[in-house]
Amino acid sequence: MVSHLDTSADFSWPSIIQGGMGAGVSDWRLARAVASVGQMGVVSGTALDSILIRRLQDGDLDGSMRRGLKAFPYPEMAERILEEWFVPGGKGPDNPYRLKPLPVVDMNRDDEELLIVACFVEVYLAKEGHSGLVGINLLEKIQLPTLPSLFGAMLAEVDVVIMGGGIPLAIPGVLDAMAELRPVALKLNVLGANRSHDHKIEFHPGTHISASQEPLKRPCFFPVVSSETLAKTFVRKASGHVDGLIVEHFTAGGHNAPPRRDGAYSERDVCPIDKIAALSLPFWVAGSSASPERLREVKALGANGVQVGSAFACCEESGITLEIKKEIAEQYFSGELEVITDFRASPTDYPFKRVDVKANSSADACRACDLGYLRHIFEKEDGTLGYRCPAAPRKSYIAKGGQAEDCEGRRCLCNGLVATIGMGQVRRDREVQPLVTMGDDLSFLDSVEREASGLPTAKSVVDYLLS
Ligand SMILES: Cc1cc2nc3c(=O)[nH]c(=O)nc-3n(C[C@H](O)[C@H](O)[C@H](O)COP(=O)(O)O)c2cc1C
């Protein structure tokens, strides 16, 4: 099946993709700001169900969530969510957020609906008022929400699905089937599973839509790759059409592909751009690429452009709290900023770029995750499935069959990342500590135009990159 964008005629891809940044860093506002000036805006699809219900519990003060909900094609579904989660005027800063159930394999209908609607709302709002391109970013490592999330984004006519954090070979085929409203399934990664056991998650679009629902547009699919071998694997083995590639260098913000050797990166981990160009697919280069010189350089090597994360994360429009963004800029200008490639922090076991900030640093470092997106799924002796996270309290992790050494140095990314966008859970009257990620290279701050706040806008980052 071909993707819905007619890339054959006068179409040309933008030079800049604003990278998807979870959780809630690249929200609809940032993606819309980027897409409005003719580049590609990408919303993060990570934890959007929790983010939607937290925005509603904060009172949805500017009405944007309710505007998005109103546009959802099946009003009863949106109304159920509004009724359940909206708190007029907001819950008050000292009250904890009410939680949805943690993600599980046999998700109930309400939880599927919440994911569908949340992803619809985010993409719908990002696409509002312009004709630019909008993508959604999902992570292969977070499997349980993937299918309903894709469906919600497709109901909002998302243009591109970008997926990193693993090797999502099955997704192109899923997009083909979903566009035709056919049932879909994904093989689950289950630790310790008996080979003869076939664990999968299933999703039936028909459960949520009316018989008159028209087929959906099939978005383009861009996997994030870090090597030529992986890029070739996608071209040869993906379950359907791959429309482009994001080639990400290990200096990029967020999670990085693990180094090939010895727990340290070397030249061997640098993906040769000319070899990617030989695959004849559109591609964008990510990681330390936020400069006009780098954009020209990669284009000369055959790339369509760059995918930029950190520079957009520092913009006024990103989801990170103003306090944290200002502190990062201040740390950078005073020479104090240290970006650590932390090989232990993430429960995914992927290296994770971390910046320590003072904002709220005395608050509770969360060990008891109440969001659960990064839990590992494991097979118990009786063949049923269990869930455990190495960033959770050690005792409970070990009681579920995990090894004590797995817990060393872990951080609760789920709660920490959501605290970074100002929606941290309140524990013992205080918000949990934020956990901030940035790429290695923030030198764009020296050159990009900044506002009175000390921060750039998405348009100023785009203008700078195209200058
Ligand atoms: C705050 C932040 C969060 C990120 N989260 C994700 C994510 O959820 N999924 C993903 O594929 N990439 C994520 N990334 C990577 C970006 O999409 C992008 O590829 C990367 O930031 C490019 O490198 P740069 O930071 O040097 O510009 C994140 C980056 C940052 C800075």
Side-chain angles (χ1 to χ4, degrees):
M1 176 182 273
V2 284
S3 310
H4 82 269
L5 289 173
D6 181 5
T7 50
S8 56
D10 291 339
F11 180 86
S12 71
W13 288 106
S15 301
I16 303 166
I17 298 180
Q18 161 257 305
M21 295 177 281
V25 173
S26 64
D27 59 10
W28 63 271
R29 251 179 247 280
L30 178 63
R32 184 164 79 174
V34 175
S36 298
V37 292
Q39 305 303 319
M40 192 193 298
V42 179
V43 297
S44 163
T46 301
L48 274 182
D49 46 356
S50 292
I51 291 173
L52 170 65
I53 63 174
R54 289 189 182 195
R55 288 175 181 156
L56 290 173
Q57 291 177 67
D58 284 335
D60 184 31
L61 298 181
D62 68 356
S64 47
M65 292 302 106
R66 280 165 289 164
R67 192 166 76 251
L69 286 169
K70 217 169 174 187
F72 191 73
Y74 297 95
E76 338 66 72
M77 260 160 88
E79 275 156 24
R80 277 199 287 276
I81 290 168
L82 199 60
E83 188 144 311
E84 177 73 28
W85 298 103
F86 180 50
V87 179
K91 67 170 181 55
D94 298 335
N95 298 322
Y97 287 104
R98 206 154 62 77
L99 299 162
K100 57 169 277 295
L102 304 192
V104 288
V105 174
D106 293 316
M107 202 175 281
N108 69 35
R109 192 191 164 109
D110 284 354
D111 294 341
E112 275 193 358
E113 281 190 6
L114 183 56
L115 280 164
I116 295 170
V117 172
C119 291
F120 172 90
V121 168
E122 200 74 0
V123 173
Y124 171 84
L125 292 174
K127 292 195 80 149
E128 204 178 34
H130 61 84
S131 55
L133 296 179
V134 168
I136 190 166
N137 176 287
L138 291 168
L139 294 166
E140 165 74 0
K141 278 268 182 186
I142 304 182
Q143 287 190 297
L144 301 179
T146 298
L147 298 174
S149 298
L150 287 172
F151 190 63
M154 285 168 70
L155 280 172
E157 302 194 353
V158 72
D159 298 300
V160 180
V161 171
I162 298 182
M163 228 161 143
I167 309 180
L169 289 171
I171 298 299
V174 163
L175 298 177
D176 292 342
M178 235 182 223
E180 293 170 355
L181 309 175
R182 286 188 274 126
V184 286
L186 263 189
K187 188 174 159 31
L188 264 186
N189 298 323
V190 176
L191 294 174
N194 183 311
R195 275 173 180 234
S196 62
H197 296 170
D198 179 22
H199 296 293
K200 56 186 180 194
I201 38 174
E202 295 179 58
F203 178 75
H204 297 262
T207 321
H208 300 283
I209 53 176
S210 66
S212 61
Q213 172 71 49
E214 295 280 327
L216 302 174
K217 290 178 177 173
R218 194 272 199 194
C220 290
F221 178 67
F222 299 175
V224 181
V225 299
S226 57
S227 69
E228 183 198 355
T229 315
L230 195 51
K232 282 185 173 159
T233 306
F234 272 102
V235 173
R236 291 187 190 139
K237 297 200 179 151
S239 55
H241 193 61
V242 171
D243 304 85
L245 299 166
I246 307 294
V247 182
E248 200 180 65
H249 190 57
F250 55 80
T251 54
H255 285 98
N256 305 128
R260 292 190 195 189
R261 274 198 196 158
D262 294 343
Y265 291 103
S266 69
E267 278 303 302
R268 291 172 54 92
D269 297 298
V270 179
C271 181
I273 296 181
D274 51 334
K275 298 250 171 74
I276 300 291
L279 298 175
S280 301
L281 277 177
F283 73 100
W284 289 260
V285 177
S288 313
S289 299
S291 73
E293 296 78 18
R294 180 67 175 157
L295 176 57
R296 282 194 290 274
E297 182 191 357
V298 300
K299 279 191 155 191
L301 290 168
N304 289 61
V306 290
Q307 171 171 287
V308 168
S310 303
F312 287 113
C314 290
C315 285
E316 287 191 336
E317 297 94 333
S318 91
I320 300 182
T321 64
L322 195 60
E323 191 188 6
I324 294 177
K325 283 185 283 205
K326 280 184 172 177
E327 190 187 331
I328 289 171
E330 281 160 19
Q331 282 195 26
Y332 173 78
F333 286 113
S334 66
E336 284 165 46
L337 186 85
E338 195 189 356
V339 180
I340 301 158
T341 302
D342 192 328
F343 287 85
R344 296 296 305 168
S346 175
T348 64
D349 241 358
Y350 279 59
F352 180 75
K353 293 270 191 297
R354 175 166 69 73
V355 173
D356 290 333
V357 290
K358 292 187 198 82
N360 226 2
S361 59
S362 62
D364 238 17
C366 170
R367 286 288 305 176
C369 183
D370 47 23
L371 294 169
Y373 293 100
L374 294 174
R375 291 191 302 173
H376 302 171
I377 307 170
F378 67 95
E379 191 175 286
K380 298 184 198 164
E381 272 175 23
D382 63 2
T384 61
L385 297 180
Y387 305 85
R388 65 184 181 222
C389 181
R394 194 178 298 253
K395 235 174 153 181
S396 86
Y397 182 73
I398 295 169
K400 291 177 179 175
Q403 302 295 310
E405 57 267 28
D406 291 348
C407 303
E408 250 5 274
R410 300 295 182 193
R411 305 236 177 168
C412 178
L413 259 62
C414 292
N415 279 269
L417 291 176
V418 174
T420 303
I421 58 163
M423 288 181 200
Q425 183 57 299
V426 180
R427 296 257 174 79
R428 282 174 242 125
D429 297 333
R430 289 188 304 174
E431 259 192 50
V432 297
Q433 258 179 32
L435 187 57
V436 181
T437 178
M438 282 284 146
D440 282 339
D441 181 10
L442 302 196
S443 60
F444 56 85
L445 281 169
D446 294 319
S447 311
V448 70
E449 197 182 313
R450 290 180 291 127
E451 302 295 301
S453 62
L455 302 172
T457 62
K459 182 174 181 312
S460 60
V461 170
V462 167
D463 288 347
Y464 164 61
L465 294 175
L466 297 178
S467 65

